[in-house]
């Protein structure tokens, strides 16, 4: 984990209430797919965790939805302003288990972390399929970005206003070697039930400190309690215990 002051170089709206922000800093290291950063915002007690969407040395891209005070504050920031960011948080996805034909399943703001994963898997020559789920057409983003990487892409909307009507689980391909997923909990539960292979789930739980100190994100797994911020946010399908 590293604390850095990063400069905003872009902050643009890309869908309804959804923004893409690019941050730069000379010391910024490349982040791993599935890792997250934790952002301090003026007047907010807790930092706000946001997944890494894309990353290279010196540059970090995040995509976030304005849902409350913190993220709305972020959406009003402009290029040239700076943010205090904890980087290098979380375990990230394990690419070594991808097999030849990995499937990526993202829902809403669970789509952003899958982009860097897709880019890395494509660089390894994998045949990547991405199914991106949203509520409605106005909320859709990312389709062209995944296509540009050479992924086979299906978009689903719950109301049928764009792409395939339904949820990501209504558009699962016949064959895939494993899957990687991130999205709201009801979607993750449906993915857990409907998929037939091993896979990795990223949980975007509410967090406190974000770096393992407060136990606020702890959840029960097959192998005992785990802190989502430290031993997660990515858990293997086989270790998940759903609590009602
Ligand atoms: C590891 C991790 C990665 C995340 N990645 C992303 C991302 O890439 N893009 C993105 O848009 N969001 C992401 N989130 C969720 C994001 O952290 C919250 O939306 C944000 O903290 C809300 O802050 P706020 O001050 O705007 O809202 P608040 O005022 O704190 O809350 C507003 C509303 O959002 C709900 N809310 C707050 N936090 C969460 C949460 N973690 N999950 C679901 N609902 C929440 C609250 O219950 C409330 O209804 C991630 C969360 C985690 C833990
Ligand atoms: S948020 Fe504090 S331990 Fe995970």
């Amino acid at each position: 984990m590293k604390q850095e002051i990063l400069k905003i170089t872009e902050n643009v709206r890309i869908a309804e209430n959804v923004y893409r922000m690019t941050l730069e800093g000379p010391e910024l290291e490349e982040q791993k797919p599935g890792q997250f950063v934790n952002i301090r915002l003026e007047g907010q007690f807790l930092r706000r965790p946001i997944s890494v969407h894309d990353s290279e040395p010196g540059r970090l891209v995040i995509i976030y939805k304005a849902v409350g005070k913190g993220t709305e504050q972020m959406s009003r920031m402009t290029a040239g302003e700076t943010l205090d960011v904890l980087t290098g948080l979380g375990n990230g996805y394990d690419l070594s288990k991808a097999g030849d034909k990995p499937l990526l399943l993202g829902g809403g703001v669970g789509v952003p972390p899958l982009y860097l994963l897709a880019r890395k898997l494509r660089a390894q020559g994998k045949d990547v399929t991405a199914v991106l789920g949203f509520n409605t057409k106005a909320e859709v983003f990312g389709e062209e970005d995944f296509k540009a990487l050479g992924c086979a892409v299906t978009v689903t909307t719950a109301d049928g206003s764009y792409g395939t009507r339904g949820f990501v689980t209504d558009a699962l391909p016949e064959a895939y070697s494993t899957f990687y997923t991130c999205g709201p909990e009801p979607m993750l539960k449906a993915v857990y039930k409907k998929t037939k292979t091993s896979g990795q789930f990223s949980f975007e739980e509410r967090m406190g400190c974000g770096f393992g100190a407060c136990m606020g994100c702890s959840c029960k797994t097959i192998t005992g309690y785990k802190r989502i911020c430290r031993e997660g946010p990515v858990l293997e399908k086989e270790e998940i215990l759903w609590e009602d």
Side-chain angles (χ1 to χ4, degrees), residues 6 8 10 18 35 70 154 157 166 170 172 181 187 189 230:
L6 301 178
I8 300 171
E10 180 203 54
V18 179
Q35 284 195 308
T154 302
T157 51
D170 295 316
L172 296 182
T181 188
M187 180 198 123
K189 282 185 176 166
R230 193 74 187 236

Side-chain angles (χ1 to χ4, degrees), residues 61-141:
V61 184
I62 55 174
I63 289 184
Y64 63 95
K65 185 166 191 171
V67 293
K69 270 193 182 166
T71 45
E72 270 161 20
Q73 205 171 314
M74 279 169 67
S75 72
R76 290 191 299 271
M77 297 186 81
T78 53
E81 290 186 76
T82 56
L83 278 173
D84 173 336
V85 184
L86 296 180
T87 58
L89 298 173
N91 56 355
Y93 290 111
D94 183 351
L95 278 74
S96 72
K97 297 182 175 166
D100 292 337
K101 212 173 159 28
L103 170 64
L104 277 44
L105 302 165
V109 286
V111 168
L114 300 179
Y115 177 77
L116 179 58
L117 176 67
R119 188 160 74 72
K120 296 287 175 186
L121 290 170
R122 288 293 300 141
Q124 293 177 359
K126 308 287 184 187
D127 181 0
V128 180
T129 299
V131 184
L132 316 177
F134 302 90
N135 290 317
T136 190
K137 186 178 178 183
E139 295 178 4
V140 174
F141 65 89

Side-chain angles (χ1 to χ4, degrees), residues 207-217 227-230:
M207 283 184 183
C209 67
F211 52 82
C214 74
M215 307 304 284
C217 63
R227 293 161 299 180
I228 290 292
C229 69
R230 193 74 187 236

Side-chain angles (χ1 to χ4, degrees), residues 12-222:
V12 291
R13 183 185 179 279
I14 56 167
E16 193 164 271
N17 297 325
V18 179
Y19 298 81
R20 183 183 64 230
M21 179 184 276
T22 303
L23 294 152
E24 293 184 5
E27 307 287 314
L28 184 58
E29 288 170 14
E30 184 171 1
Q31 313 287 299
K32 287 196 259 170
Q35 284 195 308
F36 65 97
V37 298
N38 217 356
I39 301 176
R40 198 177 93 76
L41 294 159
E42 205 62 45
Q44 306 294 327
F45 175 62
L46 291 174
R47 288 174 179 264
R48 298 305 195 260
I50 302 288
S51 298
V52 172
H53 168 66
D54 200 9
S55 168
E56 59 193 14
R59 182 173 165 272
L60 165 74
V61 184
I62 55 174
I63 289 184
Y64 63 95
K65 185 166 191 171
V67 293
K69 270 193 182 166
T71 45
E72 270 161 20
Q73 205 171 314
M74 279 169 67
S75 72
R76 290 191 299 271
M77 297 186 81
T78 53
E81 290 186 76
T82 56
L83 278 173
D84 173 336
V85 184
L86 296 180
T87 58
L89 298 173
N91 56 355
Y93 290 111
D94 183 351
L95 278 74
S96 72
K97 297 182 175 166
D100 292 337
K101 212 173 159 28
L103 170 64
L104 277 44
L105 302 165
V109 286
V111 168
L114 300 179
Y115 177 77
L116 179 58
L117 176 67
R119 188 160 74 72
K120 296 287 175 186
L121 290 170
R122 288 293 300 141
Q124 293 177 359
K126 308 287 184 187
D127 181 0
V128 180
T129 299
V131 184
L132 316 177
F134 302 90
N135 290 317
T136 190
K137 186 178 178 183
E139 295 178 4
V140 174
F141 65 89
E143 182 180 13
E144 295 310 318
D145 299 331
F146 283 85
K147 278 188 179 161
L149 293 176
C151 304
V153 184
T154 302
V155 174
T156 65
T157 51
D159 65 1
S161 54
Y162 187 81
T164 305
R165 178 188 290 271
F167 302 110
V168 291
T169 42
D170 295 316
L172 296 182
E174 282 287 302
Y176 49 94
S177 48
T178 189
F179 67 88
Y180 296 89
T181 188
C182 185
E185 197 165 304
M187 180 198 123
L188 297 184
K189 282 185 176 166
V191 167
Y192 183 91
K193 277 192 193 142
K194 285 208 169 182
T195 46
K196 295 188 173 68
T197 65
S198 294
Q200 297 172 39
F201 290 69
S202 179
F203 288 87
E204 296 191 339
E205 300 279 329
R206 293 225 75 177
M207 283 184 183
C209 67
F211 52 82
C214 74
M215 307 304 284
C217 63
S218 135
C219 80
K220 208 171 167 186
T221 72
I222 299 278

